[in-house]
Amino acid sequence: MPQKKIALINDITGFGRCSIAVMAPVVSAMKIQAVAVPTAILSTHTQFPEYYFDDYTPRMRDYIDTYKKLDMSFDAIATGFLGSEEQVDIVVDFIKTFKKEGVFTLVDPVMGDYGRLYKTYTPALCNKMKDLIRHADILTPNLTELCSLMDVDYRDGDFSPAELEAMCQQLSFQGPKHIVVTGIHHGKQIMNFVFSRGETPKTIMVDRIGGDRSGTGDVISAVIAGMYLNGHGFYDSVKRATEFASKCISYCEENNVPTHWGLSVEMYLRDLTEEEK
Ligand code: PXL
């Protein structure tokens, strides 16, 4: 079987293990070739008190043009952190060009966390993210992002399964067949709400270990994309992703890794490599 390729449309951040810096090694461990399509270049991510942010929007069209001219193909497309409204149009154009039969798109509508939007995400950019939803097969919002996409007031974890299902249902009508709402606080546990159109939703509970860690969503999206691309079902993909993230988080807690340094995925990448049958 030829190796599969995934286009990672996301930022490149030097320090902090988020986005492409953490997603590329994760999918590589799953024997998938990662192709970086940068949306911005940062020295550290935006949770640090200081960061250098270089919006890559003006150069993205030329960058992507070479892939068009080379008639390049991808097996999957995963989008994440976006730096400007114009970028959403560029990403939609990328998907329209490269999403051929059998290619799936995972959209992580990165916008915020704990009820707060990230500093670079203006209300206009969040609004524009709604355009991207229509092109997603898989959507991986956290609760903050789900509320923002649905124009619902954020409440920390306090949504019933019926409310979550109704919101996912509405989003699913717009495009994505599979949705996982990640990181919902549920007492001492974290709930991940797994929705697939036409099926009864399921939840995956994991123990809450220490505080929330930046980059967790990126690791989870990468494992889901890799698993799904390797032929696993959506629920199994999410389960594997949450288990892997939990293992990395435990390591970080035990070793006092600061919460904004991202997950120490390097310690467990080998767990993701499946042997040939
Ligand atoms: O992990 C989400 C993320 C991605 N990229 C950048 C970020 C963040 C979260 O803060 O700042 C640049």
Side-chain angles (χ1 to χ4, degrees), residues 44 54 118 133 138 140 146 149 156 167 179 193 229-230:
T44 62
D54 182 17
Y118 296 135
I133 306 307
I138 296 178
T140 61
L146 179 73
L149 290 171
D156 186 10
M167 290 198 273
I179 301 171
F193 189 80
L229 196 47
N230 283 341

Side-chain angles (χ1 to χ4, degrees), residues 10-13 16-20 22 39-42 44-48 51-53 80-82 108 110-113 118-121 145 213-219:
N10 218 321
D11 67 85
I12 295 182
T13 290
R17 293 191 192 96
C18 68
S19 316
I20 291 173
V22 75
T39 57
I41 298 177
L42 297 92
T44 62
H45 60 60
T46 62
Q47 302 305 294
F48 282 85
Y51 56 88
Y52 168 73
F53 174 72
F81 184 93
L82 301 179
D108 186 0
V110 175
M111 290 189 281
D113 232 332
Y118 296 135
K119 286 176 218 141
T120 53
Y121 272 79
E145 292 153 353
R213 290 185 173 270
S214 55
T216 305
D218 300 330
V219 170

Side-chain angles (χ1 to χ4, degrees), residues 10-265:
N10 218 321
D11 67 85
I12 295 182
T13 290
F15 188 82
R17 293 191 192 96
C18 68
S19 316
I20 291 173
V22 75
M23 293 177 78
V26 163
V27 297
S28 301
M30 301 169 96
K31 303 185 179 175
I32 295 160
Q33 184 184 353
V35 181
V37 181
T39 57
I41 298 177
L42 297 92
S43 50
T44 62
H45 60 60
T46 62
Q47 302 305 294
F48 282 85
E50 282 294 330
Y51 56 88
Y52 168 73
F53 174 72
D54 182 17
D55 180 5
Y56 205 64
T57 308
R59 291 174 285 284
M60 280 183 81
R61 287 186 212 276
D62 287 346
Y63 187 107
I64 293 167
D65 246 10
T66 60
Y67 296 158
K68 291 187 182 176
K69 287 179 186 150
L70 290 167
D71 205 17
M72 196 92 90
S73 67
F74 304 98
D75 302 286
I77 301 163
T79 80
F81 184 93
L82 301 179
S84 69
E85 287 158 69
E86 191 190 345
Q87 229 167 60
V88 179
D89 295 325
I90 297 173
V91 172
V92 167
D93 178 68
F94 185 96
I95 295 171
K96 283 184 176 159
T97 308
F98 294 103
K99 188 170 156 45
K100 309 260 162 65
E101 185 73 30
V103 175
F104 78 84
T105 306
L106 180 149
V107 171
D108 186 0
V110 175
M111 290 189 281
D113 232 332
Y114 333 122
R116 288 191 311 270
L117 297 176
Y118 296 135
K119 286 176 218 141
T120 53
Y121 272 79
T122 59
L125 180 53
C126 290
N127 226 4
K128 189 83 182 156
M129 282 300 256
K130 293 177 186 160
D131 291 353
L132 201 52
I133 306 307
R134 281 185 270 132
H135 302 273
D137 298 300
I138 296 178
L139 193 68
T140 61
N142 60 31
L143 196 52
T144 306
E145 292 153 353
L146 179 73
C147 290
S148 174
L149 290 171
M150 297 299 298
D151 293 316
V152 165
D153 286 336
Y154 174 81
R155 309 190 312 261
D156 186 10
D158 175 30
F159 283 90
S160 67
E163 282 176 293
L164 291 169
E165 184 177 0
M167 290 198 273
C168 289
Q169 192 80 264
Q170 271 200 49
L171 278 179
S172 179
F173 282 139
Q174 297 169 38
K177 178 167 194 288
H178 302 293
I179 301 171
V180 56
V181 186
T182 58
I184 304 169
H185 292 166
H186 210 267
K188 287 197 167 126
Q189 291 199 300
I190 299 274
M191 180 171 88
N192 298 282
F193 189 80
V194 186
F195 174 95
S196 290
R197 198 188 302 143
E199 292 175 27
T200 307
K202 293 185 183 145
T203 55
I204 296 173
M205 307 298 288
V206 287
D207 286 338
R208 187 169 170 180
I209 317 158
D212 292 296
R213 290 185 173 270
S214 55
T216 305
D218 300 330
V219 170
I220 289 179
S221 294
V223 178
I224 293 174
M227 284 282 288
Y228 198 74
L229 196 47
N230 283 341
H232 297 276
F234 185 60
Y235 175 82
D236 289 346
S237 302
V238 177
K239 185 135 180 66
R240 185 74 179 270
T242 55
E243 285 166 2
F244 179 73
S246 291
K247 196 165 172 182
C248 297
I249 291 170
S250 292
Y251 174 92
C252 291
E253 283 297 314
E254 282 157 21
N255 292 279
N256 301 314
V257 177
T259 53
H260 47 300
W261 283 25
L263 308 195
S264 299
V265 292

